[in-house]
Amino acid sequence: MKLYKTKTAGMALLGLLLWGGSPAPVALAQGGQDLSISYQRPPQAIADIIEAPATPSVSINAKGDLMLLLERPGYPGIEELAQPESRLAGLRINPATNGQSRGSSISNIKVKQVNGGQETQIAGLPQNARLSYITWSPDEKYIAFTNTLENGIELWIADISTKQAKKLTNATINDAYSGSPFEWTSDSKSLVVKFIDENRGQMPQRALAPAGPTIQQNIGKVKPSRTYQDLLKNRYDEQLFDYYMQTQLKLVTIDGKQQPIGKAGIVKSMDVSPDGQYLLVQTIQKPYSYLVPHYYFPYSVEVWSRDGKVVKQLAQLPLAEDIPIAFDAVAKGPRNYSWRPDKPATLYWAEALDGGDANKEVAERDAVYTLDAPFAAKPTKLAATKYRYRGVQWGENMALVNERWWKTRTERTTMVNPAKPGKATVLIERSYEDGYTDPGSPVFTKNKYGRSVLLTDKKGQHIYMISEGGSPEGNRPFLSEFNLKSKKANILFRSEAPYYERPVDIIDLDKKLIITRRESEKDAPNYFVRDLGKKQLTQVTTFPHPTPQLEGVQKELLQYERNDGVKLTAVLYLPKDFKKGDAPLPMLMWAYPREFKNAAAAGQVKSSPYEFTRISSGSPLFWVTQGYAVLDRTDIPIVGEGDAQPNDTYNEQLVASAKAAIDKVVSMGVVDPKRVAVGGHSYGAFMTANLLAHSDLFAAGIARSGAYNRTLTPFGFQQEERTYWEAPEVYHRMSPFSFAHKVKTPILLIHGEADNNSGTFPIQSERFYNALKGHGATTRLVFLPHESHGYAAKESILHMLWEMDTWLNTYVKNRQVQ
């Protein structure tokens, strides 16, 4: 494989440090220079985009005749992120509300008629609303949602016919655990709700003097684990975990009456049976772990009656610290319990036949079982899987069992008749890396229980699939009718140029009416009703252009090759006033590497030239308003075919991909090769640091929330499943920390000081900065107070953009080339 050679030497320059840990970025003075500054703002054109109103999100009912317009507030202030937060067992909890911290919310709800477009405001919503978990009732006559106050969380409902909202409970909802804290019953007359246990007592107080040391021990057992954040650290953390998680389930009627269900406990999840007569309840048990998050803690699985009596204990699962670290490894014993949506009260689950160890060679990986109420009989084996179980999609006399296998990037779907288990028909088996052959995901409809089941034709011979529609021309989403016997798909609708139009749902199968989300380079995404029979298109929403500052920006989907023959793509943006023949521009290249086992799949086109230019707070597109070319979605594939592992030649492929991208835009005459910056977030930051360590292609780099020393993630990272001890040279070569002495290009490091992403501990940036500074690099480290892996507060986002803009102007746009 011929690849671009990497750099080994260069010039050393001055290093700067900016460090934060208080309500505004605080700096350490260095070399007589005081770097203490408050939050800064980028150029107004950039700030205006951040401060523009957000486009509402949409929730469409099953009939397709109504949609909810969910209006979102702007970015929260830093004061909101600075609220006290308990970080326990992988959860982040706001002590004042007993709910998850850092969650997004909705500020207003309107109901829109799909036919005719009339919009009606939901009346009676709370002032300063912070709404979450907006959920249709099974009969779609109501919606339920939570509202977060400063001191707790309430449950509300709204009557869709009257457009009137009302509060159902006081601010006593327990939303500390992940997932919705409520679920509708099938009759739409009540909800099962998680409440704070009123008998839990006072919040534990940390003792001034500890009761003793904190001890962990392992006696000869192999228990590797990946790197996790926010783990329990001591006995006090365990007490806090118990306090926040202690939950009492209650049945709440739509007129506000409450009835306790069963005994209080640390409820991991609750799931109402389709007929509303049973609850599937999972409760966390002790002992807890200081090595793994809450979802690996011991737990009990039980079926309760509607009044809270234990009908059946299904499983008592132990602490799962011993799961092999290989991809597709799972815990021993049964897992993924759920209700069949097509039956009144039938459970299904999976259980590993290989002990959960993906490295074992076995003919069957998992078995899928079912069990009917009253749960006294022996479970029925529905199917066995060749690969690792990934869930079941249920229909009338039909179950689609999904499997995946990481080592070969294979996915498989088999069809089973639940009434005659044992015989399975393989419908789909393919590489999930191959976007061009992706058949899509099934379309669902609501059944009599209000549950989602597969939509089929009247004879049950076809299902319906929505696919992204990858093709050499770019993504062209489609809706297909998939024949379950012939396994052939008939395309009913496919997006056509110059639009990118994605089917959302089928409104009426007989009338051939579908809802789509349609956009183009110039037209903002909006919803339409498409009549496939009459070939008519009716617009439903009229959302305006969210960022008119970007109107007229030039966009082009580029296709080019790496020097080893791998085909690549990227999306080039140029300022609206740039003309052919103008002086070449400075450029910001933004990317995120992806691993592949197949070079052909790596080279596929992965976007559409007709997608609307949308921008998020972490986007590089802001700089197209500042006179830069921007190369976004830049392909950086890391390929390892056959027995080869992608990361064995990570740096060589990284540099070769970057060089090919730069060569392409330079050959077009639009970019100055001496003024190119590279940037990325998370694994893209890791990429950026490696590119600066192993090449001289760039004038500057921007690395946000990255990991730079792979020995700090020794049991695997990203798509690397080998451990440090199995592949020490790979870990060394892939760590830019190991080559900090070779980084001679200015690099800006930004990190959230409360980063909770696995592997990207803030110490990664701190130690990398110290290594760079120690070797005379030009570098700057910015810690954003209270921010996690992705930045949320408006002050933080604006300051991040100011830092990036200042860095780019200093070292790229105004670079003095000697």
Side-chain angles (χ1 to χ4, degrees), residues 404 408-411 429-440 467-472 475 594 596-598 600-606:
R404 269 199 173 196
T408 57
R409 310 303 198 266
T410 301
E411 66 180 9
E429 186 160 0
R430 56 181 292 277
S431 168
Y432 60 76
E433 289 185 338
D434 185 358
Y436 292 176
T437 63
D438 183 6
S467 172
E468 188 61 29
S471 77
N475 292 340
R594 285 185 57 196
F596 290 87
K597 289 298 292 179
N598 182 282
Q604 291 182 349
V605 179
K606 302 172 187 68

Side-chain angles (χ1 to χ4, degrees), residues 61-63 135-144 182-191 254 272-276 445-452:
N61 69 352
K63 297 176 184 177
T135 308
W136 293 91
S137 62
D139 64 7
E140 300 189 332
K141 294 180 180 180
Y142 300 92
I143 55 172
F182 65 85
E183 184 178 341
W184 283 99
T185 57
S186 57
D187 59 8
S188 299
K189 294 180 180 179
S190 56
L191 305 98
I254 57 175
V272 183
S273 64
D275 65 0
T445 188
K446 289 286 184 71
N447 65 7
K448 62 182 179 180
Y449 303 113
R451 302 297 177 102
S452 294

Side-chain angles (χ1 to χ4, degrees), residues 727-745:
E729 284 304 311
V730 171
Y731 276 69
H732 174 77
R733 289 196 306 267
M734 289 185 69
S735 296
F737 180 85
S738 303
F739 301 93
H741 61 295
K742 294 185 177 181
V743 177
K744 310 305 178 184
T745 303

Side-chain angles (χ1 to χ4, degrees), residues 694-759:
H694 298 288
S695 80
D696 55 5
L697 295 170
F698 298 98
I702 298 171
R704 297 192 322 227
S705 297
Y708 309 104
N709 183 350
R710 283 305 167 195
T711 66
L712 297 179
T713 55
F715 285 103
F717 58 90
Q718 204 72 7
Q719 297 298 306
E720 179 58 67
E721 67 174 354
R722 294 171 294 183
T723 71
Y724 168 76
W725 297 275
E726 291 171 325
E729 284 304 311
V730 171
Y731 276 69
H732 174 77
R733 289 196 306 267
M734 289 185 69
S735 296
F737 180 85
S738 303
F739 301 93
H741 61 295
K742 294 185 177 181
V743 177
K744 310 305 178 184
T745 303
I747 182 170
L748 171 64
L749 304 174
I750 302 176
H751 215 121
E753 70 164 13
D755 193 329
N756 66 340
N757 183 56
S758 177

Side-chain angles (χ1 to χ4, degrees), residues 209-355:
T214 299
I215 299 172
Q216 300 182 55
Q217 111 175 342
N218 182 65
I219 309 298
K221 293 184 178 181
V222 178
K223 294 184 177 180
S225 62
R226 290 209 169 202
T227 308
Y228 300 107
Q229 303 265 36
D230 299 340
L231 300 177
L232 298 179
K233 297 180 179 64
N234 49 47
R235 300 175 198 178
Y236 177 65
D237 279 357
E238 292 190 52
Q239 294 169 0
L240 281 179
F241 183 79
D242 285 341
Y243 174 79
Y244 291 125
M245 297 298 297
Q246 191 72 9
T247 298
Q248 175 65 60
L249 296 180
K250 293 184 182 182
L251 188 70
V252 181
T253 63
I254 57 175
D255 58 4
K257 296 178 181 178
Q258 299 181 12
Q259 175 186 336
I261 305 174
K263 61 182 180 181
I266 301 179
V267 178
K268 181 177 182 177
S269 67
M270 48 84 182
D271 188 5
V272 183
S273 64
D275 65 0
Q277 298 305 306
Y278 300 97
L279 293 177
L280 176 62
V281 181
Q282 300 187 16
T283 53
I284 292 177
Q285 310 292 317
K286 291 186 176 180
Y288 300 152
S289 171
Y290 296 176
L291 293 177
V292 293
H294 60 90
Y295 42 84
Y296 290 128
F297 288 2
Y299 66 100
S300 173
V301 186
E302 297 175 333
V303 177
W304 292 5
S305 63
R306 191 181 175 107
D307 59 2
K309 293 184 174 63
V310 177
V311 176
K312 174 80 171 181
Q313 183 176 70
L314 297 167
Q316 187 77 36
L317 297 164
L319 176 65
E321 284 185 345
D322 58 349
I323 299 176
I325 62 168
F327 292 108
D328 290 320
V330 295
K332 298 175 183 176
R335 68 185 192 279
N336 302 122
Y337 281 94
S338 191
W339 296 108
R340 277 183 59 173
D342 61 322
K343 293 293 182 181
T346 297
L347 291 163
Y348 71 98
W349 67 92
E351 187 164 351
L353 301 177
D354 58 4

